Amino acid sequence: MAGTIKALHVDDDPASTDLTAEFLERENENLSVVSATSAEEGLCRLAETDIDCVISDYDMPGQTGIDFLKAVREEYPDLPFILFTGKGSEEVAADAISAGATDYIQKETGTGQYTVLANRITNTVAQYRARRQSERANRRRRQTLTRITDGFVEMDADFTVTDVNEQTVELTGLAREELIGSNYQDDIVEGDSDASFEEYKHVLATGEARTIEARSDINPNRWVEERIFPTEAGDGIYVYFRDITERKRREQKLQAQTQTAPGRSR
């Protein structure tokens, strides 16, 4: 995983924190370990430093690792937290997971335990960062969708609707609950192929964006312009659409006037 991972190790034994930091940083050059010898100091470190993962002992004076975990979760509900302790029991492990620990590792003799711990930290932080990145992207997309006037529909690879914006609800006259989970081919065009669906399949198969004008599947008396894009992962499509009925009517009226003008065949 690219990028430095800054881990906080909390243990009341300074010799243990020094040894753990040395071996973790030796295992993975991207790991940088900050140490604290009490839960109180650990919370101060968290407030002062950007930490990607917390590693904590269980048996510490004043506050146990579980108490420390609960305090961390009040301020950092999603931050990776690994209980790394010599006090191994099913009860401690169950309490840790129940309190919100990301992982539980029992200390062992030998240096192999640091290889395991380094791998767990790396994998846990990778998942944490990916989840945060996805959440940020979703927030940005949601903010964008609330600002645009176009309707927006997201479909998966089976053309089942997975998301819509409020403009879609207004433009179609259907409730969000009716739209989410419906399948475009089975529930909207009722199994019949139409111009829009053929374009949807083309975009999904080729990854090439398309723009089309077609009659609305919800209201055949209306016309819509649809801009169709593949999703970032290529496992679905995004459809942005807007009502162009008035424009089409003007075009048709102008065409009819042109065809019936004097000197033109009727």
Side-chain angles (χ1 to χ4, degrees), residues 24-46:
L24 286 179
E25 292 176 355
R26 186 182 301 176
E27 283 290 336
N28 186 335
E29 61 182 10
N30 289 326
L31 272 174
S32 174
V33 181
V34 176
S35 301
T37 54
S38 69
E40 183 179 1
E41 184 185 357
L43 290 173
C44 290
R45 293 283 193 181
L46 277 173

Side-chain angles (χ1 to χ4, degrees), residues 137 140-155 163-165 167-168 171 196 200 203 209-214 223-232 237-244:
R140 287 196 299 269
R141 189 184 71 173
R142 183 57 55 194
Q143 289 169 353
T144 299
L145 293 180
T146 59
R147 297 188 186 109
I148 64 174
T149 57
D150 289 1
F152 168 84
V153 180
E154 179 182 19
M155 302 183 200
D163 195 13
V164 299
N165 64 354
Q167 287 81 349
T168 296
L171 289 167
S196 293
Y200 296 170
V203 171
R210 302 290 284 265
T211 298
I212 64 169
E213 294 180 0
W223 282 82
V224 293
E225 178 187 79
E226 301 183 19
R227 291 175 293 122
I228 312 157
F229 301 89
T231 59
E232 292 84 352
I237 60 171
Y238 299 137
V239 181
Y240 296 84
F241 68 96
R242 59 192 180 98
D243 192 310
I244 59 169

Side-chain angles (χ1 to χ4, degrees), residues 244-259:
I244 59 169
T245 303
E246 295 307 315
R247 193 194 81 194
K248 294 295 287 187
R249 286 174 178 169
R250 289 196 300 271
E251 291 175 355
Q252 291 169 350
K253 183 178 180 180
L254 180 60
Q255 184 179 23
Q257 291 173 344
T258 302
Q259 290 175 346

Side-chain angles (χ1 to χ4, degrees), residues 84-118:
F84 181 54
T85 175
K87 191 175 182 62
S89 72
E90 292 184 2
E91 182 180 356
V92 171
D95 288 345
I97 300 303
S98 177
T102 311
D103 208 341
Y104 171 90
I105 301 176
Q106 186 173 345
K107 291 180 182 178
E108 300 175 352
T109 57
T111 60
Q113 62 182 327
Y114 299 109
T115 302
V116 173
L117 180 57

Side-chain angles (χ1 to χ4, degrees), residues 122-263:
T122 302
N123 294 335
T124 297
V125 171
Q127 295 170 8
Y128 172 66
R129 288 177 174 175
R131 187 167 59 250
R132 291 185 66 188
Q133 183 177 4
S134 176
E135 290 170 353
R136 285 195 296 267
N138 286 335
R139 282 197 298 271
R140 287 196 299 269
R141 189 184 71 173
R142 183 57 55 194
Q143 289 169 353
T144 299
L145 293 180
T146 59
R147 297 188 186 109
I148 64 174
T149 57
D150 289 1
F152 168 84
V153 180
E154 179 182 19
M155 302 183 200
D156 64 17
D158 296 321
F159 302 103
T160 295
V161 177
T162 54
D163 195 13
V164 299
N165 64 354
E166 288 303 315
Q167 287 81 349
T168 296
V169 173
E170 294 178 10
L171 289 167
T172 63
L174 298 175
R176 179 181 174 84
E177 293 74 17
E178 294 179 80
L179 292 164
I180 301 293
S182 63
N183 183 272
Y184 181 84
Q185 187 176 27
D186 295 339
D187 302 323
I188 297 178
V189 296
E190 299 179 351
D192 294 330
S193 179
D194 71 344
S196 293
F197 189 53
E198 292 303 315
E199 295 297 336
Y200 296 170
K201 291 192 292 185
H202 177 85
V203 171
L204 184 63
T206 66
E208 299 174 357
R210 302 290 284 265
T211 298
I212 64 169
E213 294 180 0
R215 288 193 178 275
S216 168
D217 300 306
I218 305 297
N219 185 350
N221 294 321
R222 312 294 296 180
W223 282 82
V224 293
E225 178 187 79
E226 301 183 19
R227 291 175 293 122
I228 312 157
F229 301 89
T231 59
E232 292 84 352
D235 56 357
I237 60 171
Y238 299 137
V239 181
Y240 296 84
F241 68 96
R242 59 192 180 98
D243 192 310
I244 59 169
T245 303
E246 295 307 315
R247 193 194 81 194
K248 294 295 287 187
R249 286 174 178 169
R250 289 196 300 271
E251 291 175 355
Q252 291 169 350
K253 183 178 180 180
L254 180 60
Q255 184 179 23
Q257 291 173 344
T258 302
Q259 290 175 346
T260 58

